[in-house]
Amino acid sequence: MEIFREFTFEAAHRLPHVPPGHKCARLHGHSYRVAVHVDGPVGEETGWVQDFGELSCAFAPLLACLDHYYLNEIDGLDNPTSEVLAKWIWDRLRPTVPDLSQVVVRETCTSGCVYRGDRDRA
């Protein structure tokens, strides 16, 4: 079974490694939507995979770092593409959410990415 919890935040960024004249090189912002997915068995007694509240608590420190900030100034996000942001979130959540299965980052209604962790992990 797989569950997910969604989070939203507003943030500004610019992409420093795009070709000259690319619109994303300019400072701009997004209303980001992040879905944190966890998979595992449904507990016989609880009837759930994991408490959604636990996911909210695990994500809260990240949300505090991201919401209404300039992403380029955050350690590890000097090139804050959706892909880099998804991995950044994964790397920080994985220690407290061991059954994490994927992180989905949407920077617009129609654009985003899915990160499922390092394929070489055990």
Side-chain angles (χ1 to χ4, degrees), residues 5 7 51-62 93 96-97:
R5 174 79 168 83
F7 305 91
D51 185 343
F52 288 119
E54 290 176 7
L55 290 178
S56 295
C57 287
F59 196 78
L62 303 182
L93 277 182
T96 57
V97 183

Side-chain angles (χ1 to χ4, degrees), residues 14-122:
R14 58 177 294 281
L15 301 183
H17 304 298
V18 294
H22 193 285
K23 68 181 182 177
C24 292
R26 297 189 304 270
L27 179 64
H28 63 286
H30 294 288
S31 296
Y32 288 91
R33 176 173 238 101
V34 174
V36 175
H37 291 245
V38 172
D39 65 10
V42 176
E44 198 168 306
E45 189 173 315
T46 63
W48 63 32
V49 173
Q50 183 173 359
D51 185 343
F52 288 119
E54 290 176 7
L55 290 178
S56 295
C57 287
F59 196 78
L62 303 182
L63 191 59
C65 289
L66 299 169
D67 191 31
H68 283 79
Y69 281 95
Y70 178 45
L71 298 182
N72 299 68
E73 294 178 344
I74 297 172
D75 188 36
L77 293 178
D78 54 308
N79 183 30
T81 63
S82 291
E83 296 87 343
V84 170
L85 181 56
K87 185 177 183 324
W88 185 92
I89 291 169
W90 175 281
D91 290 346
R92 281 148 187 82
L93 277 182
R94 183 73 175 175
T96 57
V97 183
D99 293 327
L100 186 63
S101 59
Q102 68 180 21
V103 172
V104 180
V105 173
R106 292 181 186 208
E107 64 178 50
T108 69
C109 295
T110 59
S111 301
C113 76
V114 177
Y115 183 68
R116 295 185 183 96
D118 184 358
R119 298 285 180 177
D120 296 329
R121 73 176 192 269

